[in-house]
Amino acid sequence: MSLNHVRPWRDIYRRKSRQIMVGNVPVGGDAPIAVQTMTNTLTTDVAATVAQVQAAAEAGADIVRVSVPDEDSAKALKEIVRESPVPIVADIHFHYRRGIEAAEAGAACLRINPGNIGNEQRVKEVIKAARDHNCSIRIGVNAGSLERHLLEKYGEPCPEAMVESGLEHIRILQDNDFHEFKISVKASDVFLSAAAYQGIAEATDAPIHLGITEAGGLVSGTIKSAIGLGNLLWMGIGDTIRVSLSADPVEEVKVGFEILKSLGLRHRGVNIISCPSCARQGFDVIKTVEALEHRLEHIKTPMSLSIIGCVVNGPGEALMTDVGFTGGGAGSGMVYLAGKASHKMSNDQMIDHIVEEVEKKASELDAAE
Ligand code: SF4
């Protein structure tokens, strides 16, 4: 359950899952829902990949996935893991050797479908490498790459086929006495994804990695992910999430966090509440919010800030935020601290002033922790 029990209409009852470790990050059980992203640099370009991993981690990513398509990438992975501030998941397709090499290189988790890497002996070798190197596994079922026998049985990708695929892969791991795994059942279609995830959530107690695959660009993909992941998270399903966007991984992390913040499931940084602005605004709300979002990116302490154009909604919103600013006309507005009107501030100094007030409040909250 989230921390919202004082307001029962906000409660989310989380599905009970087993907990596994991805490196030092717990996934499942009562662990915070982890935010993931994936690099899109060439893995063999170690410097570029490490820079992207670090930027994603700075934006709040708990775990980052890196593709390992060939032997050189597996070699590069070793250096990437060494430099990374967060656990690295190695993305493996089809080739069992890459899985073994990635485990040896220090990957915290292998994203691999055990049913697709060849005969039983090869599967055993990969599982042994994972076990020997403290590596968990993510089974990643994807509607676009379902096994042929399931497509023949069901006629097309459907929730039942995806769940069956997931359970077949799970069985292989369990038959090898390997239980440190999580599972995803992704599709680019929101309805298919949501139904498949509900099915797999009922069929297993494994931690679930949520994602809407190939969701699209920054705006369309964000909306699709917010609807798909948002609904599932609201139902209590999901232990780790990745928002897939044709955009910078840092954007994926920001969107992932915003989805979790909207549902009260994670809190990080400044939650800005701002009005859309209209003819009544006492200052340029849109430009101010844009500037503040940028200037406050470094704040990691969970806190709230209201930036409201006029007194229609300003004082009311400020009541519920840590810091607030409400436009008041005549070139100045009112600063609110802890919900109370505190002092006036001129519009031309308000951005610097609000940044100072937020930084001060963040230090206070950190000290109180
Ligand atoms: S709070 Fe004021 S400025 Fe903002 S949209 Fe509402 S009426 Fe317009």
Side-chain angles (χ1 to χ4, degrees), residues 25 45 54 56 75 148 185 187 200 205 218 243 252 260 299 309 346:
V25 175
D45 187 343
Q54 281 169 340
K75 282 186 190 136
R148 196 177 310 139
V185 283
I200 204 76
D205 67 349
L218 184 55
V243 173
E252 294 191 350
L260 294 176
I299 305 281
S346 65

Side-chain angles (χ1 to χ4, degrees), residues 27-262:
V27 172
D30 57 2
I33 296 170
V35 176
Q36 303 197 25
T37 185
M38 186 169 179
T39 53
N40 55 23
T41 46
L42 276 177
T43 303
T44 45
D45 187 343
V46 173
T49 305
V50 166
Q52 213 170 52
V53 170
Q54 281 169 340
E58 187 56 32
D62 301 294
I63 298 166
V64 175
R65 180 157 50 119
V66 174
S67 265
V68 185
D70 48 36
E71 207 177 333
D72 286 344
S73 300
K75 282 186 190 136
L77 193 70
K78 199 168 188 176
E79 283 180 70
I80 294 163
V81 166
R82 200 165 42 223
E83 299 289 320
S84 173
V86 293
I88 296 290
V89 179
D91 193 78
I92 312 290
H93 286 279
F94 310 121
H95 207 298
Y96 84 109
R97 285 278 345 147
R98 299 293 91 76
I100 295 170
E101 288 158 9
E104 288 169 352
C109 178
L110 304 179
R111 185 273 188 210
I112 195 163
N113 287 350
N116 299 344
I117 52 171
N119 63 32
E120 216 176 300
Q121 188 49 37
R122 290 181 171 185
V123 173
K124 277 192 193 310
E125 284 182 47
V126 173
I127 294 174
K128 181 178 182 313
R131 187 179 281 119
D132 288 351
H133 296 276
N134 247 344
C135 200
S136 52
I137 288 180
R138 166 155 73 92
I139 296 169
V141 173
N142 196 311
S145 55
L146 278 173
E147 292 76 17
R148 196 177 310 139
H149 72 279
L150 291 172
L151 286 175
E152 277 164 13
K153 177 175 173 185
Y154 289 98
E156 62 170 10
C158 62
E160 294 78 10
M162 293 171 69
V163 171
E164 196 166 323
S165 172
L167 293 178
E168 284 177 5
H169 293 298
I170 285 178
R171 211 166 299 124
I172 295 173
L173 294 182
Q174 287 175 334
D175 286 350
N176 282 278
D177 200 22
F178 190 91
H179 307 281
E180 284 288 297
F181 62 86
K182 53 186 172 144
I183 184 161
S184 62
V185 283
K186 296 187 184 183
S188 57
D189 178 87
V190 170
F191 296 102
L192 179 53
S193 281
Y197 271 115
Q198 285 175 76
I200 204 76
E202 279 178 23
T204 172
D205 67 349
I208 287 181
H209 169 97
L210 289 186
I212 304 294
T213 196
E214 293 123 23
L218 184 55
V219 174
S220 56
T222 295
I223 291 168
K224 231 185 199 185
S225 299
I227 292 170
L229 306 194
N231 268 300
L232 288 162
L233 290 164
W234 203 330
M235 287 180 219
I237 296 170
D239 301 292
T240 170
I241 67 169
R242 186 222 172 167
V243 173
S244 297
L245 300 175
S246 306
D248 192 306
V250 165
E251 300 298 335
E252 294 191 350
V253 177
K254 285 186 190 168
V255 172
F257 254 101
E258 288 304 325
I259 292 172
L260 294 176
K261 276 156 79 173
S262 302

Side-chain angles (χ1 to χ4, degrees), residues 275-282 285 308-314:
C275 77
S277 81
C278 73
R280 289 181 199 272
Q281 65 182 350
V285 174
I308 308 290
C310 79
V311 291
V312 171
N313 290 321

